[in-house]
Every structure is written in C-alpha cells, then in structure tokens.
Amino acid sequence: MGDVLPFHFQVVAALIFAIGALGVMLRRNMIVMFMSIELMLNAANLSLVAFSREIGNDQGQILAFIVMVVAAVEVAVGLAIIISLVRNRDTVNIEDTSQMKW
Amino acid sequence: MTEHENTALRWIPLLPLIAAALSGAWLVFGRRALPRVAVIALACGAPIASFAIAVVQVFKLALETALPPDAPYYSDNLYTWISAGDFHAELAFLLDPLSAVMVLVVTGVGSLIHIYSVGYMDDDHREDRGFQRFFAYLNLFTFSMLMLILGDNLLVMFVGWEGVGVCSYLLIGFWYLDDANAAAGQKAFVVNRIGDFGFLLGIFLLFWSFAQAGLPTVEFREMSANVGLLAERTVALPGWLSFLPGFPTWGLLTLACLCLFVGACGKSAQIPLYVWLPDAMAGPTPVSALIHAATMVTAGVYMVCRMSFAYSLAPGAQATVAWTGALTAFFAATIGLAQTDIKKVLAYSTVSQLGYMFLAAGVAAYSAAIFHVMTHAFFKALLFLGAGSVILGMHHQQDITKMGGLRRRMPVTWATFLVGVIAIAGVPPFSGFFSKDEILLAANQAHAIPGHQALWAIGMATAFLTAFYMFRLYFLVWSGESRADHHTQASIHESGKWVLVPLCVLALFSVIGGFFGLPDAYGDLFGVQRSNSLHHFLQPVVHSAEHEISHATEFRLAALTTCVGLAGIALATVMYFWRRDLAAKLAAAIRPLYALVRDKYRIDELYDAAIVRPLRALSSSLLSRGVDQGLIDGLAVNGTAKLVRASADGALKYLQSGFAQSYLVAMLLGGVLLVAWLVRGS
Amino acid sequence: MRTALFWIFSVMAVGSALGVVGSLRSPINSALSLVLSMLALAGLYVLLEAQFVGLIQVMVYAGAIVVLFLFVIMLLNLRGSGAGSAESRPIGKAAGAVVAVGAVLWLVRRLAASRAPWPEVDPTYGTTRAIGEALYTDYVLSVQVAGVLLLAGIIAAVVLAKKKID
C-alpha cells in the first residue's frame, strides 16, 4: 500500500475518537452529543479493522460488524429516550436535565 | 484397669444436680411453685441418696481385695472433655481414700443440714418460691462441692471450685432484697476470685511444666506418679524481686504450690483473703453451717492435701502454708474474743480452725488436716445449727449481749450446743481433742519447717483462746439471767423436730468422731493395733510425714494441750459465770485495744481505703469516662459516624452533580488512566 | 495511488468529524457532516481490503442511522444551536478537553515507534462470502444474540417514543 503504514490508520482513528470525545464533553445539544458518540464508535471500528488487516485475519472485521449492529440498536433506543426527554422538558440542552443530584 | 472402674460414682454428684435442675427449671418455667412436699422430697432426697451411694462405694473401696494396696481407688470416666493434640482432659471422677473421707463428710453433714433447713426456712412463708429457690441453690452447691472433691484432674476440680463460689454468692445474698446481704455475697465472690487467679496460675504452671517434660496432663494420679520430672526444675526470678528469700532461683514446684495456695487462701479464708467469711454470715444460718463451716471452706485444705505430692517437694511452700495457717488461727481467735454477734463469733472461730488445718498441711501432717476437717465439720456445723436454733427461738435476735438464761427454755439445743463447745475446746475424749492434738504434735515434731517450735507455741496459745472465747459464748448465751426484753422472753421456744434431729446426730458424732483417728499410742493402751484408722486409710494417697516419738512424749504433749484447754475454760468460767463484772472492767481498762479487736483490727477499712477505693476511682475516672465513653464511644463509634458524615456531606456528595458531561469527563479520565496503566512498560 | 486515496479519505473523515462537533448552526449541519464522515470511513475500509465492512458501513451507518438522526431532528422541530442557558462547569470541560487531546498526542507518539509492514493476504480476505462463512459458522452465536438485541431495541424504541394513549 505504498508508504502508508498500519499505524497511520491508528492515528486517524485516534484523532476521530478524540474529536468525538471533545464533542461529547463540550457540546450541550443532546443530539449533537449523541452524534459525537457515534463518531467515537466509528473510530473504534476503524481501529479494529485496521488491526485486523495488520494481523491478517478477519476477526476484527467480525467484531466491527457486531459493533455496528449494537450501535444501530443503541441509536434507536437512545433517540427514543431523547424524544421522550425533549417532549417532557421542551429543551434539548443537556444542562437542563440535571435533577438527579444531591 | 477394669477393677478400678466404677460407674456408680457419677451418681454421687449427679443426683443433687438433677434435683437442683428440676426445682430450678420449675421455678423458671412453672407458674406456681412446687408443693412443699415435693420440694422437700427433692431437696433432702438427693443428698441422702448420694450419701447412701457414697457409703456403699467407700465400703467397697475399703474392703475390696481386688484393688492393689498401693493404688486403692475407683474411677469413673464420663467422657473426654478436652482433646487438644497430646493433651486430654476427661470428665472423670476418682474415689480414693482422700476423696472418700471428704465425700462422706460432705454428703453426710450436708444431708443433715438439708433436713435442718426444712425446719429453719419453714418460716420463710413470704414467698413460697423462696423455699424452693433455697433448696435448688443448696443442691446446686452440693453438686459443685462433689465435683470438686471427686474430680480426677485439676480442671474438673476447678469447675467445682468455681461452682461453689457461685453458689456461695447466691446463698449468702439469698435475701437479696436487703442491700447489705447482696453486698456480702458480692464481697465473697470477688475475694474468692482473687484467690482463683492464683489457683489458675498454679494450674497453668503445672500443666506447662509437665508438658515441657513431655507429659501434658493435669490428672492427679498421673501428676503424682510423675512429679519427679519436676522435682529439680527451677525458675529464675527477675531482678526486681531480689527481696524475696531464695533469690535468684526458686523451685518450680515451690512457685506452683504457692500459686495454688493463694487460691486456697481465698476459698478457705486465710490471711489476707479471709475478710469475706465474717460478712458471709448475712446468709441464712444453714448456709453458714454448710458452706462456711463444713464444706466449701475446707476445699482449700482438700486441694493442698490432694496436691501433697507436690507440696512434699516444695519446702518453701510448705513453710508458707504452715505459718499462714498458724498466724491466721491466732489472729482470728483474738478477734473472736470481742465479738457480740453469735454468728460472727462462730465465723472467726471457723477461720481460726481452718488455720489449724493449714498448719497441719504445712507440716506434712495431711491426714491430721483431713481429720480436723472431719471433726470440725461435725462440731462447727453443730454449733452453727444450734446458733440457728437460738436465733429462731429468739425471733431473729443475734446479739449475745441480749441473750442469757436460755438453758431452761431450749433444753435440747442447749445440750447439743454444750457438746459442740466442749468438742471445739479440745477436751478429751471428744473429737476435737484428738484432731487438734494430732496437729500440734505434728507441729512439734516437724523439724523440717523453720521455727516449728514457734508454730507449736502459737497453736497452743490459740487453743487457749479458742477454749476461752467459745465458753464465753456459751455462758453469755445459755447461763445466767436473760437479758432480752420481756416481749422476746415470753415467746422463746424450742425448735421443731426438723431442727433438733440433725443437732442430735451431729452431737453424737462430735463425741465419738475422734475414734476414727485415735492415735496409735492410745490404741496400744487398749491392745488395738493401728487404731488410727483414718491415718492408715489415707496414707497410700497423701503420704503424711511419720514421726518417731515415744509414747511417753506423746502423752506428755497431749496432757499439756488438755491443760491449756481447761485453763481457757476456767478463765471463761471466772469471767462470765462467777464474776461477770470482771469482763466489763477489763474491757474498760484496755479500751483502745479492745475497740481495735472488736472492730476486727479495721482490716476491712484498710482494704477499702487502700485497694477498693483507688480501684473504684481508677475505674470510674480513667476507664469508664476516659476509655469507654471517650475513646471507644466517642472516638471509635461516634467518631466514625461523624467522619463518614463529614466526608460525605462535605466532599463526596458534590460528585453527584447531575451534569452528564461531568460524569463523562470522569469516565474519560478514568479510561485513559486505565489504559495507560495497562500499557505501561510495553 | 493508494497513498493518495488514503490521504484524501483521512482528511475528509477528520474534517467532517470536526464539522460534526464544531458546527454551531443547526443540528442538521452536524448530521450531514456525520454522513460525510461515514462515507470517508467506508472508503478507508475498502482501502483496508474490508469490502464487506465498508459496504455495511454505508448501508447501515450512513443509510440508516444518520437518516434516523435526521428524522428525529425534524420530528422535534429543533432549530438553532445548543447555545441556551449559561455554560456551567467550564473548568471540568476544559480539563476533559486537555486530557483527550493529550491522550491522543501521547498515543500518536507511542504508535509512531512501530513500523510494521503489511502482511500478505489472499484475495478472499474481507469478501462478503468469507465474512459470511465466518459469521455463520464460528460466530453464529454472536449473530443470534445480535438479532435478539435488535428485536429488543425495536420494542424499546417503540415503547419509549410513543405518545401516551389516553
């Protein structure tokens, strides 16, 4: 693959993961936070597939597939929750949902 | 070993236990008390049955030819109580000549006292359960005493030892609604416990030493056979004990025997642990008779005789025992001179006579000590029961200065009391003479004990005092004109049959009991060989020291003892029968000394100031307030709670902020740390 | 050729990721950036000879998940950005940001040390047939469980999101 080394893919994955983490921590819109979580999942998938190719078997790809399935379910359920929340409180700001505290 | 097995032995202590358990359980679980007849049947039936079994077994022991003459004993092993490595302790009973004599005394005299108590406690109609409770305790006591005597190892003996202590507490404080009685019971128990500490140390020391020598045991027969293993062992004393004689090393057996003797001092009321016995007179008179005259207080003497194999190899301990006994005998006799409560006079007399028994044990005259235990049980129980009869007749009046002239009103009690007084004064041929004389003879001939002549002299002086104060008691109570008020005088009455029959039986034995131990010298006069049956019966077990002494010397010494006793009687007759004013004049002349003696040398006050009060103060200020309330309660318990509260309320709760993003940051941080930790070094 | 493709797809992926996070206009913008990111990643998967995964990435992620996001955004009639009430706990967020960036930098530095080459794989590597065979023989349990999970998810989503029936 020319002079693209395996670790380059890892770097990309790490970057996307970090960006996703920043998004989760810093954005206050619940939908955007959720999308950032999806970014993190994708980054993990990329890392898995890259390692799988580096090792030479398909186990990482299988795992990535399963992760995708789980991510799909998670998105469905998570968005359903967000819908309920937004309907009840009329706000999509996560800081308005901090009642479970001391 | 099958010829030594005898399964009947277990019933001797078990029957009183069953009786106690039954009446006790009925008290706890039953709604009403048992009918009197049932209580009496249980209460008296058990000790009498035990006595019957004991008599049969002892006769078998004495006459059985299948038993080897150097090992005459029966044993009854119930089960292995403790089994730890090489060490086994069985719950087993041993009937050898020593325990045989004690068993007969305890069950015999005990049965008589149980019968007496039926009559004495009969007026305790306040609460019928009191009657039942009394006999449950009394039977429990008998069980404990029998465990003590029949135990075949130190542990079973200790169980009985503690048991009699507990029952003593329960019975002294029987009328517990009066604080003074409860306090007396507590005092008895606490002082006993101090002695028990020494006893335990002795047991531990013996066990440890035997175990080190390869034979972990506390069984009497095994220890006795193997005591040679320990004969030469010594212990090194620490430097700060340099003032003790024999420094720097003591014999191991000496140390162990001294520790055991501390226990005996506590249980048998010797100096310095005698203070509980006079206070124990707060209990009902049968209790005083049984426990504090005939049986429990003799447990210490029995223990020393049982351990004679060790004491014979520990001359330092023997000298201590003998001197303590002699000094206690004299000391208590002096206090008895000035007492005015009939039971207190008898209490100090008991302490004094116990001193005689320890004097005998100290000079290795173990059979003489046991002989005196036996005769003392007869006449002291007699005297106490008689005193109880007097107290009943005088409507619970115990002050002898308010008595007098009772001879005509209570003839049977008077006659038996007189017999008891003559016996204790040591007038031949009553039993007290033979036992006391044997002790004094042994003291006179005990060349191994330093200062034995002085011991003999103290013993003689005490005999004089004993005769004197006992006859003082007799005259003040029975002769002359009555000093009671008219109301009491009108209703003085003789006691019932339940009370009088035991008195007569005991009086009989006080007279003839001496012939069990008639010294061989006297027996020879009548052509009877080995007339000192008791001595010869006990010899295979206790190995008393034998003295080579001519009959002439023996008779001379005996005559001297008799004269001393008669002199005491004579003086008492002069002072309390012919010239009654002499006593008062003498007391006035030496008033300070007299007051000191009458106040029992203020020893109780001394103990109170020097020991009890500081201990109490230490306990309440340091331990109670400081350690318990401050440290444990305040710091450990409350402090922990406060700490948890402060940390949670002050710091931890802010972690639960409700903001999802804070949680996420924390998760991320944790995840990063975890990964970093996992990949470290790679 | 492949190098160039790698760089193109990488830049696209990272850039659109930044767009997801940093888009301060409507969430629709974020969603569209997300689609772009997914597609770029799919390209990267294909570069890694993982054809099946790349295919699934497009179909499931870009084609279903993000569509779901868009549906929800439009259902809730969301407008505007997330800027509303005053931002709270800025320190914690700043710290988190620092940690995240720092971790990435550190990771990159560590990873840069290894210079392992690509091993050879046979042509059936990563094909649908190969993955399918593996899934239905070695990993059939995972597949079944994933199916049950999907069922559970469907039911949960329906129950959670419906309005109350009076």
Side-chain angles (χ1 to χ4, degrees), chain B residues 49 147 150 157 163 174 211 227 253 266 312 419 425 453 467 528 544 581 650 659 669:
Chain B
M147 286 282 278
L150 288 172
M157 180 193 248
F174 182 70
V227 73
L253 281 177
S312 298
V419 167
Q453 295 288 8
V528 178
S544 312
D581 48 314
F659 295 112
L669 196 63

Side-chain angles (χ1 to χ4, degrees), chain B residues 334-403:
Chain B
T334 58
I335 300 182
L337 295 175
Q339 298 302 311
T340 53
D341 182 322
I342 188 173
K343 285 177 73 172
K344 287 261 165 56
V345 177
L346 294 174
Y348 284 106
S349 156
T350 303
V351 176
S352 180
Q353 297 301 309
L354 286 167
Y356 267 116
M357 296 176 213
F358 280 107
L359 170 59
V363 297
Y366 303 107
S367 52
I370 298 295
F371 189 23
H372 202 56
V373 166
M374 190 174 83
T375 59
H376 178 262
F378 295 145
F379 54 69
K380 191 47 68 65
L382 169 63
L383 287 169
F384 263 111
L385 296 186
S389 177
V390 167
I391 293 172
L392 274 185
M394 295 278 295
H395 291 281
H396 298 284
Q397 169 63 262
Q398 294 181 217
D399 189 345
I400 58 178
T401 59
K402 295 199 175 56
M403 298 183 192

